Structure formats: C-alpha cells, structure tokens
Amino acid sequence: MGAFGYVAPGSLDEALTVLSEHASLGKRAQVLAGGTDLLVQMRGLDREPRTIVDIKKLAETNRVDIGAQEVFIGAAVPSAVLNENQALVDLYPGLLEAADLIGSTQIQGRATLGGNLCNASPAGDSIPAMIAAGAVCVIAGSGGTRELPVEDFVTGVGTNALGADEFLVGLKLPAPGPGTADAYLRFIPRTEMDIAVAGCGVSVTLDGSGKCTAARVGIGAVAPRALLVPAAAEALIGSTLDDAALQAAGEACSAAASPITDKRGTDVYRRKVVGVLCRRAAAIARDRARQA
Amino acid sequence: MAEAVDYKVIGTSPIRPDGVDKVTGRAQYGADLNLPNMIYGRVLRSPHAHARIKRIDTSRAEAMKGVYSVVSGKDFPEAEHGEIGGEGGGDISDLAKNIMARDKVLYHGHPVAAVAARSQRVAEEALAAIEVEYEVLTPVLDLDTAMASDAPLVDENCYTKNLPEKPDKPSNIAAVMQLGRGDVDQGFEQADVIVEGEYRIPAAHQGYIEPHACIANTNESGQSTVWCCTQGHFEFRAMTAKVLNMNVADLKFVASEIGGGFGGKTVVYLEPVAVLLSRKAHRPVKMMMTREEVFRATGPASGTHIKVKVGARKDGTITAATAWMAYEAGAFAGAPMGPGAMSVFAPYDLENFKVEAFDVLVNKPKVAAYRAPGAPQSMHAMECALDELARKLGMDPIDLRLKNAADEGTQAPYGPKFPAIGLKACLNAAKNHPNYTKPLPEGAGRGIAVGFWFNVGMQSSAEVHINENGTVTVVEGNPDIGGSRASMCLMAAETLGVPYEQVRAIIGDTESTGFSNVTGGSRTTFATGMAVVRACEDIIAQCRARAAATWGVDEDQVLWEDGQATPAPGVNADVKPLSLADIAANAAKTGGPLLGRASLNAQGAGASFSVNIADVQVDRETGKVDVLGFTAIQDAGRAIHKAYVEGQMQGGAAQGLGWALNEEYIYDANGVMQNAGFLDYRIPVASDLPMIDCEIVEVPNPSHPYGVRGVGETPIVAPLAATANAVRDAVGIRIHDLPLSPPRIVAAIDAAGS
C-alpha cells in the first residue's frame, strides 16, 4: 500500500473544506466510506499518495430516514445495517437483496450502497436495483447541495459525476405506494462470493385490477454503466405482467445491452441472460406487488 | 475380500494431534516465521509471454537505500541436466531456468530478477528501478498452434524425444509416447458399435489456500537454513542444492505447516532465490508470493486435447480402444502425458488398444503435479466415451464397466498384472448404493464415472522413541497435508498396543531424521506408515529382549500382547507382564533408551479405484449447473483414519467439481492470464457443493501391514466425467469440452436448438 494521509471530518462542512482545499491545490483526496473497494485498489494497482477523507463520522451519511413520501439512506450505512432494518426490507425487498449480494457477510459489515455507486463498476449489484427503485443521489459540494438520478450519476467504467469538491451524502428514494414492489436478480456462476455477469432490477406498481401502471427496469454488467431501460418498462406498463409482457421486457433489456466478451462471459451470453433475469425479476416483483 | 480383522484403533477417527493449533491460528505456516534482522525478497517478473532478454541493468536498484541484494540469471550457476525426481517431471536445468530466466523469458510472470530489501515496499520500488530490455517474440499459446509444423519455437534446442529416429529439426513437441497391445484395426472390425469423441480441458490450478513462502538464512561459511511450506523438504533440499551447485550437507530445510499442496508444492520456486539473496545480503530473507504470482508463475495442471475411440460388441465387450492425447507442458518439458497415457484405459481389461501421447511446450507456466497428474484429463475423455457407448448400447453405465472391469490377474495397460484391486467392489457398491437408484427431480441428470490412480511407494524413514513414562514419539520426514500425523499415530498405537493418545508424531527437518521422498503420489500413509510400523516392530523386539533378560528366559519365550510383554504359554516363570511404561521406566537398567528405527523403499503401492455418482440440475436458460448430490465410492485398501479418508474423497470431489464446472486459465492473445485471482478463477465455494456422500470400500493391499492403499489422488479423477455425464443426462447434449461453464452450456443448447 502506498503512503496516504487520513482525515475523519466531524461535520459536512469540514469534509467539504478538506475536499475543496485539496481540489484548489491540485492535490488528490479520496472519500472513504466502507472502503471495501478503495482499500483493495490501494493495495493493488493504484498506490499513488492521497488524502483519505473518511465520511463515516458524519451524522448525515449515517442517517436512515423512512418518511411517508420519501426514504433517505446515508452514504456510509453498511449493507448489513440496512438489511437488519425490517421496515426498509419491506419497502424495497429488491434493493436490499442487491445490497445483500455484495461480497461476503464480513464485507457487508462495511460495504455501503453509496460506495458501491461511487465505485461505478459496470457490475455493481446495487446500482440497477437503485435505478429500478427510482433512487436519487444527494450530493454535497462547496456550491451547495444538488440532486441527480442514479442512472445519470455513473458516467463510465469507474467514473462518476462528482466534482473534486463534492461527495455523495446519501440516496433519496420515493416511498413505494400501494401495489408497488421491486426485485433484483443477478447471474453468477457460483452461489455467492462472485461478481455479476449480468444483473437486472425491476420495480412495478399494480392497480387494483392487477394491471401494471408504473415500472422501472435497470440493468447491470451488460454495458459500460448500469442503464435504465425505458423500453422494458413500457413493455410492462399497461399489461397484467403476463408471460408475453415479461418476455417483451426481457427482449427490451437484451436490446438495450451492449455487453463485452471477457473472462466472465461472452457478449452473446450476457445479452441473452440479462433478458432472462429481467423476465424472472419482473415476475418476482409482480408477485410481491400483488401482496403489497 | 480378505477376512475382517479386529483392530483396536485403526479405522477410528480421533482428532488430529495438530488440529487445535490449526483451528486456533497458532500453527506456523510458511509465512508465519520471522527472524531477527530479516529482510524481504521480491521477484521481478516478465511482462511478456515470450521474449529474448537483451539487457538487464540492476545498478539503480542496487544503489537504493534499504536494498541489500539483487540477483538475476547471471548470478545462478549453470545447472547440469538431470531428472528432477519426485512427483513432478522434468529436467534440473529447466527447473533452474524456471526459477530465474537466463537468455529468454518463456511465460508472462517468468522471474527475471529478484531483490532483497528492508521492507516489502522498498523491495517493490527496487523492482521498478530494474531495467530490462526485451526483444518480444511471438508467443505459442495453444496445443494446435504449438504442434503445427511451422509453429514459432518455445525452445530452439528442443528436439522431440522417443521418436524412432532423431529428428533433424527442433519442435515444440518435447516428447512422444506410445502404448499398445493387440490389433486395434481388427478390434474395431469386431465392434458392433463405435463411439468417438474429442475433448479439450484448459489448465487448472491446484488452488491451495496458502501461497508459497519461505525464509532463507545463509551464514558466512555458505551454510543455509531454509524454512518453507513444502510437500517434501528433503527433495526441496536436493533441488536447491542442484540449482545452486551446493553440497546438500550445507543446506538444512525445515518444513512449516502446509496450507494445501495437491502436488503443486513438490517443486521449488522461491527457495533457491532466497538462499542466493540471503548469501549476498548476509541476512535472513523472507519471500512470499501473492495470489497473483501463484497463478501466473506456479504450476497448474496441463491443459489437454484428447481424442478417444472405443468399439464394443452388442453385449458391451470392448473390442478396441484408441487414444490420442496432447498435454501442455508449459514453458519446459515434463507434462504428465505418461501417467495420462497409462491411466486412460487402466480400469478395463482390453485385448486391443493403442495410445499416443505428446508432451508439448507452450508459453505458459511450467505445469506441476496436481492430484493424480495426467489422469483426470485422459480418464475424463474415456469415461465420457463409455457413457456414450452405454447409451448407444442401451446398457446401464455401471453394467458396461463391470462387463469390462479389470480384476486381480488382469494385465494392466501399463504392464504389470494387477494384484487384488477394488474396482469391481466399487462398481458393485455404486450399483447397490441408494443414491444410484434414488428418483431424480424433473429435468435433473445423473452421471457416473470410474477413477483410478497407480499410487507410489518410494523412500521413507521413521524413528520411534519411547519416552521415560512409556509415551511414544514418532519422528518422520513427511509434511502433514491431509492428517498423516494422526494416521502415523494410529498405526503406531495399533502396532505397539497402546492408546492413540499416548502417541505423538513430529515431522523432523532434514538434519533430524532420515531421508523421505515427498508427501505425494498418495504414498505417505502407505510408505511412511510402513516405516513407522517397522520401527514399532523394532521397539517390540527390543522390549521382548529386555523382558526376557529381566525374567531370565529366552526372547522367544516372551510375547508382545496388548501393549505389554507377557511370558509365552507354558513358560515356567512366575512374572507379571511388563507394559511399555514399565520397560521404559527401567530402560536405564536394561540397556538405555528405547529407540526403534526403520528405513525402506516401499514396494507394492496398491492401485486405488473409485466410482463417483453425480446428480445435477441445469438451468437451460442461464446454463448454470447445480450439483444436487455427489457420491464418492473408493477402495482405500484399509482406512487407517476413516474421517480423513473421507476428507480426501470429499476434497478431491470438490476440486474435481470445480475443474468440471468453472475452473480454467483464461489468456489474452499476448499470453497474459486474465483471471489471476480467486474472484475470476472460480474454485467452488462451500455453498456450491452438496454434502458429498462417501462410501469407503476396503480391499486390503497385500503389500502393506495393514492393507493401506493411497487415497489422496484417485478422488479427483472421476468427478470430471461423472459431472459431464450428468450434464449430458440432464440437457440431452454431449458437451465435450470443460469447464461446463454457463456460457458454454447455453451456447451448446442454443446450437442444438437452431
């Protein structure tokens, strides 16, 4: 591991001051939440010196707030803590499933949704699930706070929309209304301890007659970044989420994908499997929505 | 089957003497030792798969603060040619060049220089300061390319061995081998049914959890002590001596605990480098590989391309079989094509067969032994072909094998006649096993396959010390990989007639016990166990002599029963039996301490056969294979420690399932491995596997005092084909190549559907 400085600001303003000072001097600063990606990178390829800005000591990044209209999840809350929050699990079973898939049990004691998003891996499991759930990033910067939908946050492989003087404070999600539920599925060759070959998050809303009135579909690991797939949502909306609608949504996901061939799978395979996952995840979300 | 013998402790499953330290973290593995003034060695590795080294300049690294020594190829003596010996094949000169490249680098990750510095970080900075100028050459990365007549050459001085005439031009085919009997053309003419198949399996790593690590400490008179994780410290000493042109007496090797080897820790990589760095630095040098280095530069099992053809009559009798098999050796000759060729048809009594095998150089790391080296690949091909044959004949796959099974007296394809073997017993056990007839869930598939391994004997030494209170210390020279300390204690306890708890086993270093070959070839419980039994018999003879002297009777009037000397029936002596503790307490008065010894070159290692049953469910849309059930049946001769025999069977099944389903070396076009880590080199995780059911069959080996056959290697042989045959059964398509990864299965299903 290379040399590094470490600061753990006690307030949001203090954190922003450290970041903007570094930015103005052209010095490198990097935000640390759980560190499950960052520490691995520092031990591996990227050993250049930097200042680590630990945001785990901030009240705002540790906050979980379940409101009637809106839910807030702080960027430094570990997956394990989220999954112990039954109210949250009941509201977003799909998103929480995704959070539960990141790494091992030990890793989940540290890993955060915020970190998974900022790391901006094409295969980050929680990102398509957050997209499906309609999550919005709350970003603090020296110029004030701004918001950005998750699907617009990741800009490419390992890159995101944060400026050098900004950091992710947390995620804002619309509270699911009646008849709304989500689901997330990923494909890995093993049962656990693996990285998505393809992933798909689906959120649907059913009316009293069982007709789908709203839907969001996010896909991961099949493009340089996780994508919102409006065409898949359109295939679901207006239907009763019957087999034909699920099939059409799956095909829309396959069409939206632009996968690569690498050690984890071929492009042909990934394109096919993301469609399968969409169909299956949509069916799970539908069955949950019928209970919701 | 031999008569049942009533043993007291053999066949039980007590906890291992080394167990507590291993589960509490106290046990000292390769990287755990630290010495005063110790510094750290790191290796600079080639960024090219094939290149000529034009220049190495280490001057900047040598001048750096905190750098104590730097070595490269020029610092190593010219190594002589000669067989490495032990489990891995090859030549000492090649071994030397594998440890440190000389004029050429032959794979991505090949060592070109090494430094020792005060910290890992300084050592890494020093590596970055070494300048190497390369002339990049075209890499040879697969068997087809390597075997083509116009292929670029991995080694311009490699001429194919074993051809009828010495070839006039060099080749990547380092050696060929042929094996056969009868007339295969005639045999195929007699066949009613013929099946043919072509099978490719990529290289797979042993995947031991502990990366290679060592410390070398060289003094000013040139003597070195090396602590390392190894399967055989005596052979590591021999190899290091040869590579560095040293006297073995100037080298002492101490084996640490070992976190897995599976054959991969039978050759040296770091140790000679550490000795050289330490000699130059005048300090102890510790070297530890990263996982990435383990993948890029230590021996995997050979990637293979194998074709088999089998003909049979309608009743299932095999009339002829042929096999053509090419094995990747990596950068230096010595792929296990020999054992591959000799095992492919070993389970069957064949009149007509022919095998051709090729040892092929490619620009990849030199292969190393991996449990039953060579056999999983070749037997996968044959056992898949037999599955196809059984389908064509409409025969139960176990019945087909029983019809052709080798038995006592059958001449093995590799020459000798089999003594008592357990193949038929295993096949019958499989047929009668409830798991073979249990109904499968909808869409699931079942497959079976036979496994085999020769097993070896080789040299072992053992000493048995009787402590003053009658407790027993066994000293042997084989690192304990799979619970061998416990097995040695059980055999000693049984022979001496004392409780297991009264016996402890230690593994002596190269200066404190006699020579022993590696823990490999499934030989330790067999050969070293035999030495321990003989050393205990030596003790018993001494105890009887001392009791005779004490009682004033002849030695032949003293028996050894239940751990004590007793007068023979009819001996007119009014004496109380003398226990081992009694004799030990009086040792000073009867001739001094009790020390038993034995050394031997064990003969008659009995072959071990197995039958595996795999049940799988395949997701036809994603290609994911779920292993629903797996049953391992194997002849252990005699299970000394039942739970550790089962552990070997389960471990081999787990590794074989990994090889069958997901494990593979993936290279880019430049010969750079793309998955040099456990994230993308997918060994199974615990939740991938079902409980592996074990049934131990016991057909005692007549050459061992307790009937032991080696059990460590056979378990990995059958899972490949058993799994492939189960997948065939589930999806209705024969997929010839491994691994049966999800993309491969989906591609096969899609191709069959279109």
Side-chain angles (χ1 to χ4, degrees):
Chain A
M1 194 179 284
F4 63 93
Y6 173 86
V7 289
S11 73
L12 212 128
D13 285 346
E14 200 186 320
L16 288 172
T17 306
V18 175
L19 289 176
S20 55
E21 275 175 8
H22 277 76
S24 63
L25 294 169
K27 282 163 68 180
R28 188 176 181 197
Q30 204 167 4
V31 172
L32 170 80
T36 57
D37 287 308
L38 181 57
L39 294 184
V40 175
Q41 288 156 10
M42 287 170 71
R43 286 170 59 97
L45 292 175
D46 182 4
R47 299 188 183 197
E48 294 304 308
R50 74 201 78 179
T51 300
I52 297 297
V53 184
D54 187 347
I55 58 160
K56 279 196 296 295
K57 306 276 159 67
L58 306 181
E60 192 63 8
T61 58
N62 281 294
R63 190 164 67 88
V64 175
D65 222 359
I66 300 175
Q69 300 300 317
E70 209 169 77
V71 170
F72 179 85
I73 298 174
V77 183
S79 293
V81 173
L82 296 178
N83 264 295
E84 283 169 5
N85 187 329
Q86 194 54 47
L88 213 51
V89 174
D90 291 343
L91 289 174
Y92 308 102
L95 175 59
L96 275 292
E97 274 161 1
D100 198 36
L101 290 173
I102 303 167
S104 61
T105 301
Q106 290 96 324
I107 292 293
Q108 282 163 22
R110 305 288 297 182
T112 65
L113 292 183
N116 198 227
L117 178 56
C118 290
N119 187 53
S121 159
D125 275 306
S126 70
I127 306 175
M130 284 194 268
I131 290 174
V136 172
C137 305
V138 179
I139 297 165
S142 44
T145 298
R146 65 179 176 120
E147 295 186 356
L148 192 65
V150 166
E151 56 268 30
D152 298 330
F153 180 81
V154 177
T155 51
V157 178
T159 60
N160 61 43
L162 291 174
D165 61 344
E166 292 183 318
F167 73 97
L168 181 71
V169 178
L171 297 151
K172 237 168 63 176
L173 298 99
T180 300
D182 67 348
Y184 175 77
L185 289 176
R186 68 165 178 187
F187 182 79
I188 55 171
R190 289 187 282 217
T191 45
E192 59 181 321
M193 303 294 290
D194 215 326
I195 189 164
V197 177
C200 184
V202 178
S203 175
V204 295
T205 303
L206 302 183
D207 67 13
S209 70
K211 204 171 86 178
C212 177
T213 56
R216 285 175 68 87
V217 177
I219 56 176
V222 289
R225 58 195 183 94
L227 301 174
L228 177 71
V229 189
E234 282 159 25
L236 299 174
I237 295 168
S239 79
T240 54
L241 301 181
D242 51 12
D243 288 351
L246 302 189
Q247 180 68 29
E251 282 165 14
C253 286
S254 295
S258 55
I260 54 167
T261 292
D262 70 359
K263 59 200 170 191
R264 291 172 193 147
T266 60
D267 53 352
V268 174
Y269 177 78
R270 286 183 148 132
R271 195 183 286 279
K272 174 173 176 152
V273 169
V274 77
V276 173
L277 295 176
C278 172
R279 241 170 47 220
R280 294 179 181 179
I284 296 169
R286 173 196 66 200
D287 294 347
R288 284 177 178 159
R290 286 174 181 164
Q291 310 296 320
Chain B
M1 253 227 237
E3 70 215 81
V5 184
D6 191 15
Y7 291 122
K8 289 197 168 61
V9 292
I10 280 175
T12 62
S13 298
I15 62 161
R16 59 210 286 168
D18 47 312
V20 171
D21 278 359
K22 282 182 175 163
V23 299
T24 54
R26 285 187 182 85
Q28 298 274 305
Y29 289 87
D32 288 331
L33 183 70
N34 294 296
L35 294 178
N37 300 320
M38 185 180 84
I39 56 175
Y40 295 87
R42 296 284 298 158
V43 174
L44 181 68
R45 296 180 182 277
S46 169
H48 307 294
H50 194 192
R52 210 173 296 286
I53 300 173
K54 301 190 76 175
R55 185 179 65 91
I56 299 181
D57 183 351
T58 58
S59 55
R60 276 208 304 138
E62 280 168 63
M64 285 170 69
K65 194 161 176 274
V67 173
Y68 288 83
S69 55
V70 181
V71 298
S72 63
K74 68 176 169 40
D75 296 286
F76 285 75
E78 198 66 39
E80 286 173 20
H81 289 283
E83 274 295 301
I84 293 173
E87 219 193 4
D91 182 88
I92 285 291
S93 162
D94 287 345
L95 174 69
K97 288 181 203 153
N98 190 34
I99 288 162
M100 193 60 69
R102 310 296 153 96
D103 51 341
K104 269 176 92 176
V105 287
L106 299 174
Y107 55 92
H108 177 260
H110 196 162
V112 291
V115 303
R118 68 166 181 241
S119 69
Q120 296 258 36
R121 201 169 125 200
V122 173
E124 280 166 23
E125 285 167 7
L127 292 183
I130 296 173
E131 293 167 28
V132 186
E133 196 184 321
Y134 294 99
E135 177 195 340
V136 178
L137 304 171
T138 308
V140 182
L141 297 173
D142 64 79
L143 287 164
D144 292 347
T145 309
M147 295 176 83
S149 57
D150 57 346
L153 291 169
V154 174
D155 178 356
E156 297 79 359
N157 298 313
C158 175
Y159 291 83
T160 309
K161 284 186 190 162
N162 307 338
L163 287 175
E165 286 170 41
K166 189 180 185 315
D168 54 6
K169 64 179 199 142
S171 164
N172 290 321
I173 301 172
V176 296
M177 175 176 172
Q178 291 200 343
L179 207 64
R181 180 191 300 159
D183 183 333
V184 290
D185 293 333
Q186 215 174 2
F188 282 121
E189 274 172 30
Q190 293 163 8
D192 297 313
V193 178
I194 293 176
V195 295
E196 282 185 84
E198 195 168 339
Y199 302 83
R200 289 171 196 270
I201 305 180
H205 198 269
Q206 294 83 348
Y208 31 80
I209 296 303
E210 181 199 23
H212 299 257
C214 69
I215 300 182
N217 193 13
T218 306
N219 71 14
E220 280 60 36
S221 64
Q223 295 165 335
S224 296
T225 303
V226 181
W227 294 261
C228 60
C229 58
T230 171
Q231 290 180 239
H233 40 305
F234 288 93
E235 285 173 20
F236 268 37
R237 179 181 66 168
M239 288 180 215
T240 303
K242 283 179 182 160
V243 166
L244 297 178
N245 197 16
M246 287 175 75
N247 178 353
V248 288
D250 287 335
L251 281 166
K252 171 182 175 179
F253 269 70
V254 186
S256 69
E257 293 299 336
I258 178 168
F262 312 111
K265 288 178 184 164
T266 56
V267 283
V268 289
Y269 296 102
L270 298 174
E271 291 76 9
V273 181
V275 168
L276 216 49
L277 284 170
S278 171
R279 188 192 292 166
K280 277 183 117 175
H282 298 274
R283 280 171 182 251
V285 174
K286 182 175 194 167
M287 299 185 80
M288 299 173 285
M289 282 197 200
T290 62
R291 179 62 58 188
E292 188 180 339
E293 288 179 291
V294 170
F295 274 114
R296 295 202 190 285
T298 69
S302 291
T304 51
H305 178 194
I306 297 175
K307 303 173 202 175
V308 291
K309 182 177 171 185
V310 188
R313 289 202 197 91
K314 282 189 186 120
D315 69 352
T317 307
I318 298 173
T319 57
T322 59
W324 178 101
M325 47 185 72
Y327 281 70
E328 287 181 1
F332 301 98
M337 61 152 180
M342 293 192 292
S343 61
V344 62
F345 301 137
Y348 306 108
D349 185 358
L350 303 183
E351 268 178 51
N352 308 299
F353 70 88
K354 193 174 137 189
V355 186
E356 282 179 285
F358 302 85
D359 179 9
V360 184
L361 301 183
V362 289
N363 289 115
K364 295 178 182 176
K366 165 72 167 66
V367 301
Y370 181 17
R371 284 180 115 148
Q377 299 98 319
S378 67
M379 291 186 71
H380 169 256
M382 177 60 175
E383 293 298 309
C384 288
L386 287 183
D387 195 68
E388 291 301 307
L389 189 63
R391 285 175 187 282
K392 279 200 172 181
L393 291 167
M395 242 179 127
D396 174 273
I398 294 180
D399 287 341
L400 173 63
R401 287 164 173 89
L402 274 168
K403 180 92 191 164
N404 295 284
D407 207 346
E408 184 168 356
T410 302
Q411 192 180 7
Y414 52 92
K417 284 193 171 165
F418 282 120
I421 50 171
L423 174 59
K424 282 187 175 171
C426 287
L427 285 164
N428 284 319
K431 211 175 165 186
N432 296 326
H433 201 288
N435 289 355
Y436 188 59
T437 45
K438 186 167 79 177
L440 282 166
E442 175 79 28
R446 177 167 293 153
I448 70 118
V450 165
F452 156 84
W453 187 244
F454 312 88
N455 297 329
V456 298
M458 305 205 286
Q459 301 177 82
S460 285
S461 308
E463 288 141 44
V464 172
H465 300 268
I466 307 303
N467 301 316
E468 58 267 38
N469 63 349
T471 57
V472 181
T473 303
V474 174
V475 184
E476 41 124 352
N478 278 104
D480 179 355
I481 307 190
S484 58
R485 283 188 187 89
S487 296
M488 298 306 144
C489 291
L490 283 169
M491 284 183 275
E494 187 75 45
T495 308
L496 293 170
V498 300
Y500 168 80
E501 294 72 23
Q502 212 164 304
V503 187
R504 305 287 154 83
I506 66 160
I507 292 138
D509 61 52
T510 55
E511 286 185 350
S512 52
T513 190
F515 182 89
S516 294
N517 282 112
V518 288
T519 298
S522 302
R523 63 175 290 279
T524 302
T525 308
F526 170 71
T528 306
M530 199 188 288
V532 168
V533 171
R534 299 282 176 252
C536 290
E537 288 167 352
D538 184 10
I539 289 287
I540 291 169
Q542 293 176 41
C543 287
R544 287 173 58 216
R546 293 187 193 208
T550 306
W551 296 336
V553 301
D554 289 343
E555 273 176 48
D556 60 9
Q557 293 180 311
V558 180
L559 302 181
W560 187 261
E561 287 177 335
D562 292 336
Q564 51 189 11
T566 56
V571 173
N572 188 16
D574 183 19
V575 294
K576 278 203 305 193
L578 291 170
S579 70
L580 198 56
D582 296 332
I583 297 169
N586 264 325
K589 296 177 196 157
T590 59
L594 288 157
L595 162 59
R597 286 187 303 195
S599 61
L600 46 79
N601 189 355
Q603 307 296 319
S608 175
F609 289 88
S610 69
V611 178
N612 288 178
I613 307 165
D615 288 359
V616 303
Q617 182 79 260
V618 181
D619 182 331
R620 295 180 68 98
E621 287 190 315
T622 65
K624 178 142 192 260
V625 176
D626 285 326
V627 185
L628 305 177
F630 197 91
T631 311
I633 297 159
Q634 188 181 334
D635 175 18
R638 176 81 63 208
I640 299 298
H641 189 294
K642 190 164 173 285
Y644 296 160
V645 170
E646 289 176 349
Q648 292 290 335
M649 292 162 72
Q650 291 173 325
Q655 288 183 309
L657 281 162
W659 205 348
L661 294 177
N662 280 305
E663 292 182 40
E664 61 177 320
Y665 272 47
I666 302 169
Y667 285 92
D668 72 6
N670 297 318
V672 181
M673 188 187 179
Q674 297 297 292
N675 55 335
F678 278 137
L679 178 59
D680 286 304
Y681 182 87
R682 292 185 166 77
I683 63 171
V685 297
S687 54
D688 289 337
L689 301 173
M691 183 63 195
I692 291 156
D693 294 323
C694 293
E695 183 173 330
I696 300 172
V697 169
E698 294 189 318
V699 178
N701 174 7
S703 302
H704 185 275
Y706 293 118
V708 167
R709 296 173 193 275
V711 295
E713 290 169 290
T714 298
I716 201 173
V717 180
L720 280 65
T723 309
N725 292 340
V727 169
R728 160 68 184 82
D729 194 40
V731 300
I733 304 162
R734 168 62 59 183
I735 303 170
H736 293 85
D737 299 342
L738 297 183
L740 296 165
S741 60
R744 172 164 284 140
I745 288 179
V746 166
I749 289 172
D750 286 353
S754 59

